[in-house]
Amino acid sequence: MIFGIALSFAGSKKFKEEDTNIDTFKNPDKLLTDGLFKYSRNPMYLGFAVALLGLVIVLSTITPCFFFLLFVLITDKWYIKFEETKLIEHFGDQFFEYKSKVRRWI
């Protein structure tokens, strides 16, 4: 859980360092491709997922698994899809090149 929270925090910190928009529903200012973004296009979502998976392990019950799966499905099929559409609109070929080199999650 701690690793996941740290991963999310580090991704968020990169947005602040680059002075760029982190809000999903606003237009992107910059395309981040270095730091953690060299390894995952979505390190913050990955961090949240890892933290939730850690919670599943700590609680050792099946119920949190549903929340983990629901989070991953909604994030992957809705949030990330929405964000990537905006990135394509704003960065075009630059985003496609980045997308061809870096996986969505890991």
Side-chain angles (χ1 to χ4, degrees), residues 1 4 8 13 28 33-34 49 62 68 74 85 94 101 104:
M1 287 178 9
S8 294
K13 185 179 175 192
T33 60
D34 61 339
I62 195 75
F68 169 76
I74 290 171
T85 300
Q94 184 182 6
K101 295 177 183 174
R104 179 177 274 182

Side-chain angles (χ1 to χ4, degrees), residues 4-101:
I5 292 167
L7 189 60
S8 294
F9 178 75
S12 176
K13 185 179 175 192
K14 182 68 174 169
F15 273 80
K16 288 178 185 171
E17 288 172 357
E18 295 292 327
D19 192 32
T20 189
N21 174 37
I22 196 169
D23 189 330
T24 297
F25 301 104
K26 292 184 179 175
N27 291 328
D29 302 320
K30 296 179 184 175
L31 180 62
L32 302 181
T33 60
D34 61 339
L36 291 174
F37 293 89
K38 286 193 295 189
Y39 308 103
S40 172
R41 294 195 317 259
N42 299 283
M44 290 175 290
Y45 292 141
L46 177 60
F48 294 145
V50 168
L52 284 172
L53 188 57
L55 184 63
V56 167
I57 293 167
V58 167
L59 295 177
S60 299
T61 61
I62 195 75
T63 305
C65 288
F66 296 114
F67 291 107
F68 169 76
L69 292 172
L70 187 63
F71 171 79
V72 170
L73 284 171
I74 290 171
T75 301
D76 192 66
K77 301 299 180 195
W78 193 78
Y79 279 97
I80 293 174
K81 186 176 178 182
F82 178 84
E83 290 174 350
E84 288 188 346
T85 300
K86 289 221 172 238
L87 290 167
I88 290 166
E89 290 172 2
H90 284 82
F91 301 108
D93 290 340
Q94 184 182 6
F95 177 72
F96 282 116
E97 181 181 339
Y98 171 61
K99 185 177 175 181
S100 73
K101 295 177 183 174

